[in-house]
Amino acid sequence: MSTVTTSPGQAATAPSAPPRRRLDWRLRFAALSLIWGFSFLLIKVGTGGYAPFQVTLGRLVFGTAVLAAAMAVRRERLPRGARVWGHLAVAAFLLNALPFSLFAYAELTIPSALAGICNATSPLWGMALSLVALSEDRPTRVRVAGLGLGFLGVLTVLGAWQGFHGLDATGTALALLASLSYPIGWIYVRRTLAGTGHSHLSMTGAQLLLATVQLAVVTPLFTTLPTRVSVVPLLAIAALGALGTGLAVLLQYGLVAEVGPTTAQMVTYFTPVIATAAGVALLGETLTWSTPVGAVIVLTGAALTQMRPKPRPAPQP
């Protein structure tokens, strides 16, 4: 459920000074895994009372409020420059407005557990796209094998051998498109916003603000005001935004600053496990054997695609 302007290991802006550490990084890592894992359950609950666009708009409003408060505490300002804001508007669409909306629509017809597993394919899409879009990202046999293994896992999750029986094709496709949107956004940011000199918090605060504006324009065009206020779905949306979007970003940046992007990105592999467990335990969702087996294959393939060759030692004079 990435909401940031950079992909793991790819910094688009100058890092901000790390804050004081109050909790061990392992506890914050576990908290981030839980927050993002439960996000898919919260989306499901939210769409039980509100339209998908309304869920996404509410999520962005609460998430932006958290980052605005963090910026006020740290006395950071929004970035300046029409060029920066123009690129951030595209990033906001690709990394927030579009994938958040697609997941919300997808979960109208597919289980939250399946949506969480589809989200785990993002590193696979990213590796495939980087081979085309990023000339410096050279393929290796291990990474190509991981890509093939990962998509084999996707076919296993979907039950391809039985004709995808029992799955909603449209909802599944929307969830996969949402996961594809993230690496497209990461590559765009890497090409357009690298070296701007602004802090991560400032850039992401502006990005979420722009995404909120985008949804505020779109939502009234495709939805009507709810006839009644559904309390539980509304609380789910508030938690989704404040925790799954706002607090999660702050936790992620803290982890990257402290333990590095390689360790921080490992949260990706815990998210679908937690999403599946939450969906089954709390929402009563059912799984066939192919779903957890396929998820393990997907995560293994995704892990392989993130492996980089060891740098060769410099020749001795």
Side-chain angles (χ1 to χ4, degrees):
M1 305 287 293
S2 177
T3 64
V4 298
T5 52
T6 57
S7 61
Q10 299 170 353
T13 59
S16 56
R20 293 183 179 180
R21 308 302 176 193
R22 294 186 177 181
L23 291 175
D24 183 82
W25 73 267
R26 296 170 186 84
L27 295 178
R28 285 179 281 121
F29 182 97
L32 183 58
S33 300
L34 287 171
I35 289 171
W36 273 346
F38 272 88
S39 292
F40 297 96
L41 180 147
L42 294 174
I43 293 172
K44 192 74 170 180
V45 175
T47 55
Y50 299 93
F53 275 139
Q54 293 170 346
V55 172
T56 303
L57 175 58
R59 173 184 187 173
L60 287 169
V61 167
F62 285 105
T64 302
V66 171
L67 287 192
M71 289 179 63
V73 170
R74 300 181 187 180
R75 298 182 180 181
E76 293 206 24
R77 297 180 179 180
L78 291 172
R80 297 181 180 181
R83 174 186 171 276
V84 172
W85 280 87
H87 289 312
L88 281 174
V90 178
F93 176 75
L94 292 173
L95 292 172
N96 303 113
L98 179 61
F100 290 0
S101 299
L102 288 174
F103 273 122
Y105 271 101
E107 291 198 40
L108 291 176
T109 56
I110 67 173
S112 63
L114 179 57
I117 293 171
C118 288
N119 181 70
T121 65
S122 187
L124 303 177
W125 296 118
M127 188 264 181
L129 290 171
S130 68
L131 297 180
V132 177
L134 301 175
S135 58
E136 71 273 20
D137 202 353
R138 301 294 179 85
T140 64
R141 291 182 180 179
V142 172
R143 299 183 71 198
V144 172
L147 183 64
L149 184 64
F151 284 111
L152 176 62
V154 172
L155 294 177
T156 303
V157 170
L158 302 181
W161 64 90
Q162 56 185 3
F164 309 106
H165 178 70
L167 289 177
D168 180 78
T170 300
T172 305
L174 290 177
L176 290 172
L177 284 174
S179 69
L180 172 61
S181 180
Y182 289 128
I184 293 176
W186 294 332
I187 291 173
Y188 178 84
V189 166
R190 181 172 175 176
R191 285 182 171 272
T192 61
L193 289 170
T196 62
H198 300 290
S199 72
H200 290 307
L201 180 59
S202 173
M203 295 286 281
T204 305
Q207 178 186 310
L208 286 183
L209 177 61
L210 289 169
T212 303
V213 172
Q214 291 169 359
L215 262 293
V217 172
V218 170
T219 300
L221 301 178
F222 294 94
T223 65
T224 58
L225 291 174
T227 56
R228 65 186 182 90
V229 176
S230 301
V231 177
V232 173
L234 182 59
L235 292 175
I237 295 171
L240 179 64
L243 300 178
T245 303
L247 179 61
V249 169
L250 299 177
L251 287 173
Q252 185 185 40
Y253 283 154
L255 287 171
V256 170
E258 184 172 353
V259 299
T262 301
T263 300
Q265 75 178 348
M266 292 297 292
V267 70
T268 304
Y269 308 120
F270 291 88
T271 298
V273 177
I274 295 170
T276 301
V280 172
L282 300 178
L283 297 180
E285 296 176 349
T286 58
L287 298 176
T288 61
W289 67 267
S290 61
T291 302
V293 171
V296 171
I297 299 174
V298 167
L299 294 176
T300 302
L304 291 176
T305 63
Q306 302 306 301
M307 296 183 65
R308 298 291 193 275
K310 295 181 179 180
R312 295 180 179 179
Q316 297 294 329

